[in-house]
Amino acid sequence: MTLTLGVVIRISVDRLCFGSEGSRATYQSIPMVKGIDHSVVVNLPARPYSRSLLPSDEESRRGRVAFVGVLEPRKGIDVLMKSWPSVEQSCPEAVLTIVGDGPMSREVEQWSAKNPRSRNFVGRLPHSQVSSLVGGSALLVAPSVRAGRWREQIGLPILEALSVGATVVTSDETALATWLAAQGHSVLPAGELSTELAGEILDRLKQPLTSDKVIASLPEVAGRVAADKWMNQGRQLHSEGSTENQSRNGN
């Protein structure tokens, strides 16, 4: 099956632009794909052009943690709920806000009601409100785990957190894991989340990255824009080459 897929991709695709090193590794594991001309342009948001666009200062973010995503085990919400009581015990001022809906919505609602002072479940929100909420948090926790063939790719909540200067605590199952770790965010092995997540959250609440440092790590041009430019350059070169060959054949 994978060989057939590789043959189809090789025949129909001239160039590939991957959004992360993780996605390149995944797709190049397919037979015949590795030899296709390719580039990696990390799919990151563009750096905000004005510091005033960031929604909160460092002090107002202190102790605030956000989870945004579908409420299901593969997104790690169950691991987060099991880990959070340890955070509450060691850091009573910490507040976790959970945004999203899904199969575990009822369970999350009941769990949050047990300690509403430090557990805030708000359900699904419009994007504008999600951005403001994440921007008002010191940390975004995104503890995804692999489920069958599914693996977290870029993760839109992670991109949202980066664009507002929040520190990310995630697993090595996101395709951005290598880049995040290099920039000072927290990346835990997925197999260690149940034992290490609470401690990592506590450590990062004490020493989150400054929003200025997070923002400075972002490119001036969004990754999607840069990738599109690279792909178009390839199409232009291919088109020019085809025209030249046609001209030579015509002569």
Side-chain angles (χ1 to χ4, degrees), residues 167-189:
T167 301
V168 176
V169 178
T170 188
S171 75
D172 58 1
E173 288 300 338
T174 173
L176 282 179
T178 301
W179 184 90
L180 288 167
Q183 303 305 321
H185 297 271
S186 292
V187 178
L188 296 171

Side-chain angles (χ1 to χ4, degrees), residues 12 31 60-61 103 135 139 179 195 247:
S12 59
S60 65
R61 294 181 172 198
L139 310 181
W179 184 90
T195 57
S247 177

Side-chain angles (χ1 to χ4, degrees), residues 7 42 70-71 79-80 94 131 143 209 216 233:
V7 171
V42 182
V70 181
L71 305 180
V79 177
L80 178 56
S131 179
L209 298 172
Q233 287 174 342

Side-chain angles (χ1 to χ4, degrees), residues 14 231-247:
D14 296 318
M231 291 294 289
N232 284 330
Q233 287 174 342
R235 295 189 190 100
Q236 183 178 356
L237 290 173
H238 179 75
S239 177
E240 291 174 353
S242 298
T243 301
E244 183 178 349
N245 288 335
Q246 291 174 2
S247 177

Side-chain angles (χ1 to χ4, degrees), residues 56-69:
S56 298
D57 58 31
E58 310 299 334
E59 187 60 33
S60 65
R61 294 181 172 198
R62 190 179 302 277
R64 297 187 175 276
V65 179
F67 171 94
V68 180

